Amino acid sequence: MARTYSVFISHSWDHVEDLKGLRNLLERRGYFHVEFKEASPEEPINSEDSAYIRRRLKEKISNSDIVLGIAGVYASHSDWMEWELDTAIAEDVPIVGVIPRGQLYVSSVVSSRAEECVRWNTESIVNAIRAHAK
C-alpha cells in the first residue's frame, strides 16, 4: 500500500494561487498520495482570536509529516509564515522550501529554515517530500 503523506503548506493569504497551484501539482501526481493540513480559503479557521488560530495551526503542523514553505519573496513579509515555520522546527517537523515558478529570489525566511529548497517541479517536490518527511 502506498504511503499517504500529511503535508502542511505554509503560504501567504495574499498569494493563495500559489497554494492552489502547489496542491494541484501534488494531487495530479500518479501514485503519490497526500492529504493537506493547512488552513486555506476553502477550509479556514473561522476565528479572529490569534491565540486560538495559533493553537489550531500548531496542531495541524504537529500532525504533519512535512511542511512545504512557499518560498516566494513575499514570505519574508509574512509574520504568519515565519511563525508556522518556527513552529515546525519546534515540533521537529521537517521543512522543504518550494520556489514558485518564475521567481528569481527566494525568501530567506523559508530558505534559512528549510532542509532544502526545490524549484516548482513535480518530481523535485515529490522527491524532497519522500526524502525529508518524518
Side-chain angles (χ1 to χ4, degrees), residues 6 11 13 23 43-44 49 85 94:
S6 295
H11 64 284
W13 283 82
R23 278 182 158 203
E43 302 162 23
D49 180 1
L85 297 174

PDB file of all heavy atoms in Angstrom, residues 6 11 13 23 43-44 49 85 94:
ATOM      1  N   SER A   6       1.062  13.462   5.061  1.00  0.00           N
ATOM      2  CA  SER A   6       0.329  14.599   5.620  1.00  0.00           C
ATOM      3  C   SER A   6       1.211  15.831   5.426  1.00  0.00           C
ATOM      4  O   SER A   6       2.309  15.896   5.969  1.00  0.00           O
ATOM      5  CB  SER A   6       0.042  14.394   7.104  1.00  0.00           C
ATOM      6  OG  SER A   6      -0.829  13.309   7.280  1.00  0.00           O
ATOM      7  N   HIS A  11       1.902  29.284   3.502  1.00  0.00           N
ATOM      8  CA  HIS A  11       1.677  30.159   2.349  1.00  0.00           C
ATOM      9  C   HIS A  11       1.167  31.516   2.812  1.00  0.00           C
ATOM     10  O   HIS A  11       0.761  31.679   3.951  1.00  0.00           O
ATOM     11  CB  HIS A  11       0.657  29.528   1.408  1.00  0.00           C
ATOM     12  CG  HIS A  11      -0.703  29.398   2.048  1.00  0.00           C
ATOM     13  ND1 HIS A  11      -0.990  28.420   2.984  1.00  0.00           N
ATOM     14  CD2 HIS A  11      -1.822  30.125   1.930  1.00  0.00           C
ATOM     15  CE1 HIS A  11      -2.246  28.559   3.390  1.00  0.00           C
ATOM     16  NE2 HIS A  11      -2.771  29.589   2.771  1.00  0.00           N
ATOM     17  N   TRP A  13      -1.670  34.371   2.461  1.00  0.00           N
ATOM     18  CA  TRP A  13      -3.064  34.510   2.032  1.00  0.00           C
ATOM     19  C   TRP A  13      -3.186  35.474   0.856  1.00  0.00           C
ATOM     20  O   TRP A  13      -4.128  35.389   0.077  1.00  0.00           O
ATOM     21  CB  TRP A  13      -3.933  34.982   3.200  1.00  0.00           C
ATOM     22  CG  TRP A  13      -4.227  33.857   4.143  1.00  0.00           C
ATOM     23  CD1 TRP A  13      -3.416  33.402   5.132  1.00  0.00           C
ATOM     24  CD2 TRP A  13      -5.376  33.020   4.158  1.00  0.00           C
ATOM     25  NE1 TRP A  13      -3.999  32.332   5.769  1.00  0.00           N
ATOM     26  CE2 TRP A  13      -5.206  32.077   5.197  1.00  0.00           C
ATOM     27  CE3 TRP A  13      -6.541  32.972   3.401  1.00  0.00           C
ATOM     28  CZ2 TRP A  13      -6.148  31.110   5.495  1.00  0.00           C
ATOM     29  CZ3 TRP A  13      -7.496  32.016   3.705  1.00  0.00           C
ATOM     30  CH2 TRP A  13      -7.294  31.090   4.733  1.00  0.00           C
ATOM     31  N   ARG A  23      -0.993  22.544  -4.519  1.00  0.00           N
ATOM     32  CA  ARG A  23      -1.909  21.431  -4.210  1.00  0.00           C
ATOM     33  C   ARG A  23      -2.239  20.648  -5.480  1.00  0.00           C
ATOM     34  O   ARG A  23      -2.206  19.416  -5.475  1.00  0.00           O
ATOM     35  CB  ARG A  23      -3.201  21.966  -3.590  1.00  0.00           C
ATOM     36  CG  ARG A  23      -3.120  22.257  -2.127  1.00  0.00           C
ATOM     37  CD  ARG A  23      -4.459  22.736  -1.621  1.00  0.00           C
ATOM     38  NE  ARG A  23      -4.587  22.546  -0.200  1.00  0.00           N
ATOM     39  CZ  ARG A  23      -5.748  22.453   0.437  1.00  0.00           C
ATOM     40  NH1 ARG A  23      -6.876  22.538  -0.230  1.00  0.00           N
ATOM     41  NH2 ARG A  23      -5.771  22.287   1.742  1.00  0.00           N
ATOM     42  N   GLU A  43     -10.950  25.978   3.507  1.00  0.00           N
ATOM     43  CA  GLU A  43     -11.007  25.339   4.821  1.00  0.00           C
ATOM     44  C   GLU A  43     -10.386  26.272   5.862  1.00  0.00           C
ATOM     45  O   GLU A  43      -9.348  25.977   6.445  1.00  0.00           O
ATOM     46  CB  GLU A  43     -10.237  24.022   4.788  1.00  0.00           C
ATOM     47  CG  GLU A  43     -10.741  23.050   3.748  1.00  0.00           C
ATOM     48  CD  GLU A  43      -9.718  21.967   3.431  1.00  0.00           C
ATOM     49  OE1 GLU A  43      -8.835  21.692   4.265  1.00  0.00           O
ATOM     50  OE2 GLU A  43      -9.805  21.406   2.342  1.00  0.00           O
ATOM     51  N   PRO A  44     -11.013  27.422   6.107  1.00  0.00           N
ATOM     52  CA  PRO A  44     -10.416  28.408   7.023  1.00  0.00           C
ATOM     53  C   PRO A  44     -10.610  28.022   8.489  1.00  0.00           C
ATOM     54  O   PRO A  44     -11.429  27.168   8.823  1.00  0.00           O
ATOM     55  CB  PRO A  44     -11.185  29.677   6.698  1.00  0.00           C
ATOM     56  CG  PRO A  44     -12.531  29.183   6.269  1.00  0.00           C
ATOM     57  CD  PRO A  44     -12.272  27.882   5.539  1.00  0.00           C
ATOM     58  N   ASP A  49      -9.529  35.349  16.876  1.00  0.00           N
ATOM     59  CA  ASP A  49      -8.676  35.181  18.046  1.00  0.00           C
ATOM     60  C   ASP A  49      -7.339  34.561  17.632  1.00  0.00           C
ATOM     61  O   ASP A  49      -7.271  33.365  17.325  1.00  0.00           O
ATOM     62  CB  ASP A  49      -9.402  34.302  19.057  1.00  0.00           C
ATOM     63  CG  ASP A  49      -8.612  34.045  20.324  1.00  0.00           C
ATOM     64  OD1 ASP A  49      -7.476  34.559  20.458  1.00  0.00           O
ATOM     65  OD2 ASP A  49      -9.140  33.321  21.194  1.00  0.00           O
ATOM     66  N   LEU A  85       6.704  28.285  10.253  1.00  0.00           N
ATOM     67  CA  LEU A  85       7.969  27.591  10.033  1.00  0.00           C
ATOM     68  C   LEU A  85       8.726  27.392  11.350  1.00  0.00           C
ATOM     69  O   LEU A  85       9.297  26.325  11.590  1.00  0.00           O
ATOM     70  CB  LEU A  85       8.815  28.347   9.011  1.00  0.00           C
ATOM     71  CG  LEU A  85       8.190  28.451   7.612  1.00  0.00           C
ATOM     72  CD1 LEU A  85       9.039  29.336   6.719  1.00  0.00           C
ATOM     73  CD2 LEU A  85       7.967  27.082   6.985  1.00  0.00           C
ATOM     74  N   PRO A  94      10.005  18.412   9.549  1.00  0.00           N
ATOM     75  CA  PRO A  94      10.926  18.925   8.531  1.00  0.00           C
ATOM     76  C   PRO A  94      10.243  19.910   7.584  1.00  0.00           C
ATOM     77  O   PRO A  94       9.033  19.836   7.354  1.00  0.00           O
ATOM     78  CB  PRO A  94      11.381  17.673   7.774  1.00  0.00           C
ATOM     79  CG  PRO A  94      10.580  16.541   8.282  1.00  0.00           C
ATOM     80  CD  PRO A  94       9.782  16.985   9.451  1.00  0.00           C
TER      81      PRO A  94
END
